[in-house]
Amino acid sequence: MAVAPGWLAAQACQRVLKRAFSLHKAHSIKDMENTFQLVKNIIPPLTSKKHKGQAGRIGIVGGCQEYTGAPYFAAISALKVGADLSHVFCTREAAPVIKSYSPELIVHPVLDSPDAVHEVEKWLPRLHALVVGPGLGREDALLKNVEGILEASKARAIPVVIDADGLWLIAQQPTLIQGYRKAVLTPNHVEFLRLLEAVLTDPVDSSDRRGAGLRLSQALGNVTVVQKGEQDVISDGEQVSALPSWLPLVRAPSQGSAATKPSRSTAAPPLPPT
Amino acid sequence: MAVAPGWLAAQACQRVLKRAFSLHKAHSIKDMENTFQLVKNIIPPLTSKKHKGQAGRIGIVGGCQEYTGAPYFAAISALKVGADLSHVFCTREAAPVIKSYSPELIVHPVLDSPDAVHEVEKWLPRLHALVVGPGLGREDALLKNVEGILEASKARAIPVVIDADGLWLIAQQPTLIQGYRKAVLTPNHVEFLRLLEAVLTDPVDSSDRRGAGLRLSQALGNVTVVQKGEQDVISDGEQVSALPSWLPLVRAPSQGSAATKPSRSTAAPPLPPT
């Protein structure tokens, strides 16, 4: 007898969902549905009443001689989860490469220019949020420019997500985001330990991830801290939540930065045909 | 009647396996299963307990004015078989091209810089293994830099796979890897003959691939020699094995360097969208 295509499609979807969760035994389809609902609440509905830009205009600060992949993943992921426009502010040399990954990005080769702060600042009135750090590197001149960009963003009360080498900068100068409640830090394990050491004067038991996250957030004046890991531990200095990451396990660069990159499977360029 | 999803999946898998072997009549599904098991034993399991980098950090030394594809295939293949991070150290001019093939690579435009050895050496403590030679070319200045990189890698006891024009360098200066048991040479037929001529003083019957491979390895102080071909003949100077290559037959660059590149069909960049 014939098998209805709809039935086959449903089976296929179920297989995909099951596979997505196969390495996360603790999760259920219900968990994923709850997560989808949360995400749905955040993302503006797609409607013909809106014009381009109203569903989100995001800026990424990063991309240098060595690193071009990380800012690309951050920028394209913003588009893939619903934002309308994604800008990358990177060095002159990194720009053509990042541009070449996707024609959907707007890439500004300004981060190593003498007036980098001004060049980024003039875009700030048009941006809803800034991600600082993916592929930034640790060159002094660039970090100096990022200091200025952070100050300008704070002056305009723009929400800032700080990741990767942006967190290296914060560990050197925690005052840069001290008390700025619109900052979200997204450290991995190593970055979290570095921040603890830089910010807390007393010793702290880092194996108590919830307690350590709460204390770090408090010491920084209630910036939100998202410790990435098997469980993402999130604190704003008042509450702590631990959420099992529902992302598929992936290797390679995108693995470390789930906070700004949904996953390699959704953000990477298409796989070659088989 | 209902068709069980498991049955459909099994049929699909069998079709894929059959297609993979369609050009290798002599092989069986059993061969491939054995190979998968070997590979599985080598690759660290994918687990949420690990953080980025623990499943492998690989460096590729190569990529010059003419050649950018070979180092890309070597680097992306490392990621595709399970490594977390893949670095390419190439010339300034080759870097933006290699970067643009994939945002998942970290590409360093340093191989023709005056302090190339230092620029690569500072990354060595973070790398688990180095592949030297894909797309390296034969320019004296680059080969001189690679000499320094090989010496620095030996000083840190880093495993080194030497392929392509890296083997040209070894044929000129066999002492560079003499007695370094963490070196693996992966010559094709022509490269193998060149090494035989450079290293062995007595004439040797190269048609006896097993005997010749054993002698070459012994003469080089037990570096591992993988002669690529219809059968891959592998020797560490003590034992010799001959393994039928289970890789799909392909033409073009990836054919010659199966040791560092699983196959073009798995490693090639995606086709442009249609």
Side-chain angles (χ1 to χ4, degrees):
Chain A
M1 63 166 257
V3 178
W7 181 86
L8 282 176
Q11 291 297 308
C13 286
Q14 207 170 63
R15 277 201 301 280
V16 169
L17 283 174
K18 278 188 180 152
R19 192 172 53 187
F21 282 101
S22 62
L23 293 163
H24 293 274
K25 300 287 186 232
H27 303 261
S28 65
I29 302 291
K30 191 75 196 162
D31 281 345
M32 197 167 188
E33 280 169 1
N34 290 341
T35 307
F36 279 152
Q37 193 52 51
L38 280 171
V39 172
K40 211 172 154 187
N41 293 344
I42 294 166
I43 295 179
L46 194 58
T47 155
S48 56
K49 308 278 180 222
K50 285 196 170 145
H51 60 76
K52 183 170 72 173
Q54 288 189 298
R57 298 184 296 270
I58 310 298
I60 315 291
V61 178
C64 65
Q65 176 172 288
E66 292 94 349
Y67 306 117
T68 51
Y72 161 74
F73 280 117
I76 204 79
S77 298
L79 294 182
K80 289 189 188 251
V81 297
D84 280 334
L85 290 165
S86 211
H87 294 255
V88 176
F89 302 93
C90 60
T91 64
R92 172 151 292 280
E93 192 172 35
V97 175
I98 298 171
K99 286 169 189 278
S100 77
Y101 294 146
S102 169
E104 302 207 52
L105 306 180
I106 302 163
V107 182
H108 308 257
V110 298
L111 204 54
D112 53 349
S113 86
D115 54 350
V117 178
H118 171 70
E119 288 293 329
V120 178
E121 194 171 12
K122 70 186 186 191
W123 285 91
L124 290 181
R126 305 206 210 167
L127 298 179
H128 294 118
L130 215 56
V131 179
V132 175
L136 176 59
R138 297 181 185 175
E139 205 184 288
D140 284 342
L142 292 188
L143 295 181
K144 193 79 199 158
N145 288 339
V146 171
E147 274 182 53
I149 293 164
L150 277 174
E151 295 293 1
S153 304
K154 279 158 59 182
R156 291 177 179 275
I158 291 175
V160 179
V161 177
I162 304 182
D163 190 36
D165 285 326
L167 296 170
W168 167 265
L169 174 62
I170 298 302
Q172 315 304 306
Q173 301 181 55
T175 53
L176 271 174
I177 48 103
Q178 181 71 40
Y180 187 56
R181 290 193 175 216
K182 292 193 169 187
V184 178
L185 311 187
T186 58
N188 64 21
H189 181 62
V190 173
E191 291 157 352
F192 183 69
L193 295 182
R194 192 183 292 129
L195 285 168
L196 280 185
E197 193 166 333
V199 173
L200 298 181
T201 44
D202 308 333
V204 60
D205 176 13
S206 64
S207 70
D208 170 16
R209 296 178 68 213
R210 297 174 69 106
L214 189 71
R215 285 195 52 196
L216 179 63
S217 173
Q218 286 167 350
L220 286 170
N222 297 89
V223 307
T224 298
V225 176
V226 180
Q227 294 174 62
K228 293 178 296 199
E230 187 183 4
Q231 291 210 318
D232 294 334
V233 177
I234 304 169
S235 180
D236 62 357
E238 288 166 11
Q239 300 179 69
V240 191
S241 295
L243 293 175
S245 172
W246 63 272
L247 297 170
L249 288 177
V250 288
R251 297 185 193 274
S254 58
Q255 186 174 26
S257 308
T260 50
K261 306 161 204 166
S263 86
R264 189 168 58 174
S265 58
T266 58
L271 289 176
T274 51
Chain B
M1 56 165 252
V3 178
W7 181 86
L8 283 176
Q11 292 295 310
C13 287
Q14 210 170 61
R15 277 199 302 279
V16 169
L17 284 173
K18 276 185 180 154
R19 193 171 52 186
F21 280 102
S22 61
L23 293 165
H24 291 275
K25 300 286 187 233
H27 302 261
S28 66
I29 302 291
K30 191 74 197 160
D31 281 345
M32 195 165 190
E33 279 167 2
N34 290 340
T35 307
F36 278 152
Q37 192 54 50
L38 281 171
V39 171
K40 211 173 156 187
N41 293 344
I42 295 167
I43 295 179
L46 193 59
T47 156
S48 56
K49 308 276 181 222
K50 285 196 172 144
H51 60 77
K52 183 172 71 175
Q54 288 187 299
R57 298 183 294 271
I58 309 299
I60 315 292
V61 177
C64 64
Q65 177 172 287
E66 293 92 350
Y67 308 118
T68 51
Y72 161 77
F73 280 117
I76 204 78
S77 298
L79 295 182
K80 289 190 187 253
V81 296
D84 279 334
L85 290 165
S86 212
H87 295 255
V88 177
F89 302 93
C90 61
T91 65
R92 172 150 292 279
E93 195 170 36
V97 176
I98 299 171
K99 284 169 189 278
S100 76
Y101 293 146
S102 169
E104 302 210 47
L105 306 180
I106 301 165
V107 182
H108 307 258
V110 299
L111 204 55
D112 53 349
S113 86
D115 54 350
V117 178
H118 171 70
E119 288 294 328
V120 178
E121 194 171 11
K122 70 185 186 192
W123 284 92
L124 291 182
R126 305 205 209 168
L127 298 179
H128 294 120
L130 215 57
V131 180
V132 174
L136 176 59
R138 297 181 184 174
E139 203 184 290
D140 283 342
L142 292 189
L143 295 180
K144 192 80 199 157
N145 288 339
V146 171
E147 275 182 52
I149 293 164
L150 278 174
E151 294 293 1
S153 304
K154 280 157 57 182
R156 292 177 179 275
I158 291 175
V160 178
V161 178
I162 304 183
D163 191 37
D165 285 325
L167 295 170
W168 166 265
L169 174 62
I170 297 303
Q172 314 305 306
Q173 300 181 57
T175 53
L176 271 175
I177 47 102
Q178 181 72 39
Y180 187 56
R181 290 193 175 216
K182 293 195 168 184
V184 179
L185 311 187
T186 58
N188 62 22
H189 182 62
V190 173
E191 291 157 350
F192 183 70
L193 295 181
R194 191 183 294 128
L195 285 168
L196 281 185
E197 193 167 333
V199 173
L200 297 181
T201 45
D202 307 335
V204 60
D205 175 12
S206 64
S207 69
D208 170 16
R209 295 178 70 215
R210 298 173 69 104
L214 189 72
R215 284 194 54 196
L216 179 62
S217 173
Q218 286 166 349
L220 286 170
N222 297 88
V223 307
T224 298
V225 176
V226 181
Q227 294 175 62
K228 292 178 296 201
E230 187 183 5
Q231 290 210 319
D232 293 333
V233 177
I234 305 169
S235 179
D236 61 358
E238 289 166 12
Q239 301 179 69
V240 191
S241 296
L243 293 175
S245 171
W246 62 272
L247 296 172
L249 289 177
V250 287
R251 297 188 191 278
S254 60
Q255 187 174 23
S257 309
T260 50
K261 306 160 204 165
S263 86
R264 190 169 56 175
S265 59
T266 58
L271 292 175
T274 51

